[in-house]
């Protein structure tokens, strides 16, 4: 695969492939879409000159984002202690009846 374009990581999908249609359309409608730029560069669907330009832009953006985020672990959250309570009586259940002449879904004529 020596015919890869700048930044291409994956094989170029066919023109009717759904993802390709989506991302190419998105890039045409919103040229500044980072998501569309990255996908089109990674899949080699752009002409050589445009691919070079966007590849440079995508790599600069990734470097910029990567250097600004600090790798600081968040402190562990304390778990709340869950207490279980026992039911003292089942008096509410005694009033409920299973079945009977008037059930849910039955019609009374």
């Amino acid at each position: 695969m020596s015919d890869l374009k700048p930044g291409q990581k994956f094989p170029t999908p066919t023109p009717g492939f759904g993802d390709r249609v989506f991302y190419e359309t998105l890039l045409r409608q919103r040229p500044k879409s980072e998501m569309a730029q990255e996908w089109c560069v990674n899949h080699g669907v752009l002409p050589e000159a445009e691919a070079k330009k966007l590849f440079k832009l995508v790599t600069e953006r990734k470097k910029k984002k990567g250097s600004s985020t600090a790798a600081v672990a968040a402190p562990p959250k304390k778990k709340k202690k869950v207490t279980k309570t026992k039911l003292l009586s089942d008096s509410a259940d005694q009033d409920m009846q299973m079945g009977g002449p008037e059930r849910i879904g039955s019609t009374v004529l």
Side-chain angles (χ1 to χ4, degrees):
M1 296 189 104
S2 62
D3 58 336
L4 293 178
K5 295 180 181 170
Q8 185 173 351
K9 298 178 184 177
F10 306 103
T12 304
T14 59
F17 187 66
D19 289 353
R20 179 176 176 164
V21 172
F22 172 78
Y23 286 107
E24 283 182 323
T25 304
L26 179 61
L27 190 62
R28 263 196 319 272
Q29 292 175 352
R30 299 183 183 263
K32 293 183 180 181
S33 168
E34 294 177 8
M35 179 174 69
Q37 289 173 350
E38 189 168 338
W39 193 93
C40 289
V41 166
N42 287 341
H43 288 83
V45 298
L46 303 171
E48 187 83 23
E50 192 176 353
K52 282 181 183 179
K53 185 178 90 174
L54 280 182
F55 176 61
K56 185 178 178 184
L57 192 105
V58 167
T59 53
E60 286 175 3
R61 184 171 50 234
K62 281 189 171 188
K63 286 179 185 176
K64 194 175 187 180
K65 282 185 177 180
S67 64
S68 65
T69 58
V72 177
K77 294 183 179 181
K78 293 182 179 180
K79 292 183 180 180
K80 292 183 178 179
K81 187 175 181 181
V82 178
T83 57
K84 294 182 181 180
T85 56
K86 272 191 170 181
L87 292 177
L88 298 176
S89 69
D90 293 342
S91 60
D93 290 337
Q94 292 172 356
D95 296 336
M96 307 275 294
Q97 295 180 4
M98 293 294 291
E102 297 171 10
R103 294 181 215 170
I104 297 175
S106 64
T107 57
V108 179
L109 297 174

